[in-house]
Structure formats: C-alpha cells, structure tokens
Amino acid sequence: AQSVTQLDSQVPVFEEAPVELRCNYSSSVSVYLFWYVQYPNQGLQLLLKYLSGSTLVESINGFEAEFNKSQTSFHLRKPSVHISDTAEYFCAVSDAAGNTGFQKLVFGTGTRLLVSP
Amino acid sequence: DGGITQSPKYLFRKEGQNVTLSCEQNLNHDAMYWYRQDPGQGLRLIYYSQIVNDFQKGDIAEGYSVSREKKESFPLTVTSAQKNPTAFYLCASSSPGLVTTDTQYFGPGTRLTVL
C-alpha cells in the first residue's frame, strides 16, 4: 500500500518569492505521482504528473516538480509566486505496477499556500 | 464544454434523513469515483465504479450507497447510518479505466451540512 506525507500544512510566502511544497511517498512498487491544486470551494485540478521518463515535470503556470526515487520525494516548486497561487495543493500517488485495471489514488493531507503582497 | 457537474453546490440535511448527491459527466469516461474531504485529512475514497452496473467500496464506504445505471451518472446517497456526514464531497472520473496512467478529473464538489 502507498502513503503520502505532506509535512507542511500551511506555507506562507510573499509575492514574487520562491516556494517549495514538500511531498514524500512510501511504496513498495513503482509509482505514478501527481500534484493537484484546489481553490476555495472548488474541485481539484491537475497541476502536473510524473508517469515515466524525465524526472522533472512542469506545468503551464510555472510550477515544476522533480521525482527523486532515492529520496522518495516529489516536491513542488515555483521560482516566483503570485497572489493568484493562493490555494491548497495535494500530492497523490498511484501504483504503477498494478494490473487490475483500477489504480487507486492516495492523497496527502494537503498544503495550504498563502501568498501575501 | 466537457466536464463533471455536481449538484447541489450546498446541501443541508436534518439528522436521520437520507440525501442523494448528483454527479454527471459528459467526458465519456468509464470510471467514476466519490471522495470525501475533511479539513486536514485530504481526500478519502468512498466508492468507485469502473463500468456501468458495477461499483466497489473504497476506504470509507460505511453509511454510503451508490448506483451506476448510466455511464454518465454516479449518484451518491448519504444514509442516516453515516455518523458524521458533514463534509465536502467530490466526484471524479477517468478514462478508460484500464490504463494505469489515467488522470482523474474532478467536479466542483457538494458541501453537505447536517443540522
């Protein structure tokens, strides 16, 4: 079974500062990794995902995450945040080695990013 | 536009009453899911369905029921047996359901409050 740990429940930063949201996972098999973003009172939107290939994945709005197998991490970074990035961010993992046709997504508890002017 | 709709956005219910949350998708996705979100706990899987007329329990199915009579629809009933039903409920879908790389797409959610 997989598990995901997001140690920071809240990360306050100033606008235009860099930010890193940490995500560590635990799994005995190969995994797929995801970051989702949730704005207040809305559903989740996929931000980026790692399936295979390059360990650095990027989103269209400047976020990036790097899969580090040795450290079992998938931290999310952005070099310069905007006020509009204020949201809750969820890291999720699924089993990449399963063959049952259903891949359960296991979510972390989320990190609330608070960007101040 | 393709997407997932959930209704109502806000729902209030008295204790002891059953209530049904709607989830509809026009993405032609085979798989659909229901999650419950509580503050500080992330998302927990209630039920999922990989195909019409079939569904499976997730991690916290007690006190909930579902049906999947149509590909587009996956309603969730919160029964009076659910001890703590106040939460934010999210529906999701993915396709085709047999490929491990499928991304789950989420609806806007329904906030249920038990009075």
Side-chain angles (χ1 to χ4, degrees):
Chain A
Q2 292 88 31
S3 67
V4 176
T5 302
Q6 292 181 252
L7 285 174
D8 304 309
S9 59
Q10 189 165 292
V11 174
V13 295
F14 289 108
E15 193 173 19
E16 297 183 7
V19 71
E20 178 179 85
L21 306 184
R22 296 181 293 168
C23 172
N24 288 89
Y25 68 92
S26 173
S27 177
S28 58
V29 299
S30 298
V31 296
Y32 297 133
L33 293 155
F34 305 81
W35 275 101
Y36 282 87
V37 59
Q38 183 180 36
Y39 299 100
N41 292 313
Q42 294 186 26
L44 275 67
Q45 302 172 28
L46 180 69
L47 194 58
L48 46 77
K49 62 184 177 182
Y50 169 78
L51 304 178
S52 64
S54 173
T55 57
L56 184 66
V57 290
E58 299 177 349
S59 71
I60 58 173
N61 56 354
F63 282 94
E64 64 178 31
E66 186 160 19
F67 171 53
N68 189 318
K69 187 176 182 179
S70 62
Q71 297 186 8
T72 61
S73 67
F74 191 54
H75 302 328
L76 182 69
R77 302 182 182 94
K78 189 170 185 179
S80 176
V81 295
H82 302 290
I83 297 285
S84 59
D85 292 324
T86 295
E88 188 146 21
Y89 293 79
F90 291 92
C91 183
V93 63
S94 70
D95 181 356
N99 58 6
T100 63
F102 170 70
Q103 300 303 318
K104 177 181 171 181
L105 264 184
V106 176
F107 287 87
T109 52
T111 296
R112 187 171 300 278
L113 176 62
L114 297 172
V115 182
S116 303
Chain B
D1 289 338
I4 302 175
T5 57
Q6 291 186 243
S7 61
K9 187 171 178 64
Y10 298 96
L11 188 56
F12 298 90
R13 166 199 120 169
K14 293 181 180 179
E15 280 192 34
Q17 289 181 336
N18 292 356
V19 64
T20 298
L21 282 60
S22 169
C23 177
E24 304 278 335
Q25 54 98 359
N26 60 5
L27 300 168
N28 200 33
H29 285 174
D30 290 306
M32 297 188 73
Y33 316 81
W34 274 105
Y35 292 90
R36 170 181 172 138
Q37 184 179 18
D38 297 281
Q41 294 193 43
L43 278 72
R44 293 180 289 170
L45 183 64
I46 305 173
Y47 268 97
Y48 64 94
S49 168
Q50 293 178 262
I51 196 170
V52 174
N53 291 324
D54 183 62
F55 49 83
Q56 306 295 329
K57 293 182 179 179
D59 299 319
I60 55 166
E62 185 176 352
Y64 300 98
S65 66
V66 294
S67 63
R68 186 84 188 277
E69 297 176 0
K70 298 187 299 181
K71 187 175 183 177
E72 305 79 26
S73 179
F74 191 41
L76 173 74
T77 297
V78 184
T79 74
S80 56
Q82 169 52 233
K83 299 304 180 187
N84 186 20
T86 295
F88 191 49
Y89 290 87
L90 289 161
C91 178
S93 69
S94 67
S95 178
L98 295 178
V99 177
T100 60
T101 60
D102 293 335
T103 298
Q104 291 187 24
Y105 296 89
F106 285 80
T110 292
R111 188 167 299 279
L112 172 64
T113 303
V114 174
L115 304 173

